[in-house]
Amino acid sequence: MGYVREKLMITTDRLVLRLFHQSDAAIVTTLCNIYNIYKNTLHLPYPYRLNDALSWIERHHENFMTDKNYDFAVTDKETGELFGAIALSNNKRFNHGEIAYWIGEHYWGNSYATEAAQSMLQFAFEEKKLHKVFARYFSSNPASGKVMDKIGMKKEGMLKKTCHKRREVSGFSLLRNN
């Protein structure tokens, strides 16, 4: 992982994780306005509209600069194509954070989430000096659990019936690192 502090970006072998720009809003809208993305994420609305993307992106820089949350666009290192998003929250009081991500459905199966998540863990521990990082995924989305397993996260528990989404009560698997 190569974190470039001056540019607020992380580079990996194939990816550049960078802050979102307002000009990314249209592609974010296209990528997020898919039911399979909605059903596997906790906070995205459906349908997903351009205003949703614009208001979400609007908060990123301030959140980053105040060490609340680090939201990155997951992009192709060569072409700049936007694949998805990855974020790390920062709970300063307890010195831990949570990783969350989504990758556009068209890009699934290319290990972009794994590569981005691995670099985000490194960023969390090496740059932000967090004590612990955790992640959650819906039981109905085992592929996300495989990503977490590949980056060395260990299952810590199951949060049963903790979320009402899609008129269902869902649980999460909770994983941690460190």
Side-chain angles (χ1 to χ4, degrees):
M1 174 206 70
Y3 176 58
V4 183
R5 183 172 287 125
E6 302 77 39
K7 294 185 178 182
L8 306 178
M9 66 189 296
I10 298 170
T11 59
T12 70
D13 290 341
R14 300 179 301 154
L15 304 173
V16 171
L17 309 183
R18 59 159 175 83
L19 292 182
F20 280 90
H21 309 292
Q22 291 291 319
S23 60
D24 294 321
I27 189 68
V28 168
T29 302
T30 300
L31 294 173
C32 289
N33 195 33
I34 294 177
Y35 188 77
N36 281 333
I37 299 296
Y38 160 76
K39 77 176 189 174
N40 291 314
T41 57
L42 186 57
H43 298 291
L44 291 182
Y46 186 80
Y48 195 89
R49 306 279 188 228
L50 182 60
N51 282 342
D52 297 320
L54 289 167
S55 63
W56 177 65
I57 291 169
E58 185 178 285
R59 299 186 302 267
H60 290 176
H61 190 266
E62 181 181 340
N63 286 343
F64 197 106
M65 300 313 290
T66 57
D67 284 323
K68 287 182 181 177
N69 212 56
Y70 315 101
D71 289 279
F72 290 100
V74 178
T75 66
D76 183 88
K77 193 174 196 175
E78 297 298 318
T79 66
E81 185 174 2
L82 180 62
F83 298 142
I86 189 160
L88 172 69
S89 66
N90 182 7
N91 185 320
K92 294 179 195 178
R93 181 173 179 203
F94 299 110
N95 196 34
H96 68 238
E98 179 178 8
I99 289 178
Y101 52 84
W102 57 264
I103 299 294
E105 188 175 31
H106 182 71
Y107 305 106
W108 291 357
N110 292 299
S111 298
Y112 298 138
T114 302
E115 193 170 327
Q118 184 64 56
S119 66
M120 191 60 89
L121 271 184
Q122 227 177 321
F123 174 76
F125 292 122
E126 292 176 13
E127 293 296 323
K128 297 303 173 182
K129 308 295 186 205
L130 297 182
H131 164 72
K132 183 176 184 172
V133 174
F134 65 95
R136 298 175 285 175
Y137 69 95
F138 284 107
S139 306
S140 60
N141 185 13
S144 194
K146 287 180 184 173
V147 167
M148 294 170 198
D149 185 54
K150 287 178 188 176
I151 65 171
M153 298 186 92
K154 304 294 180 217
K155 189 167 185 175
E156 195 167 75
M158 174 67 88
L159 304 172
K160 296 180 180 181
K161 298 181 181 179
T162 58
C163 176
H164 287 267
K165 184 165 184 169
R166 299 176 297 152
R167 298 181 192 181
E168 301 172 17
V169 179
S170 299
F172 293 101
S173 289
L174 178 66
L175 291 93
R176 58 117 178 117
N177 196 298
N178 215 14

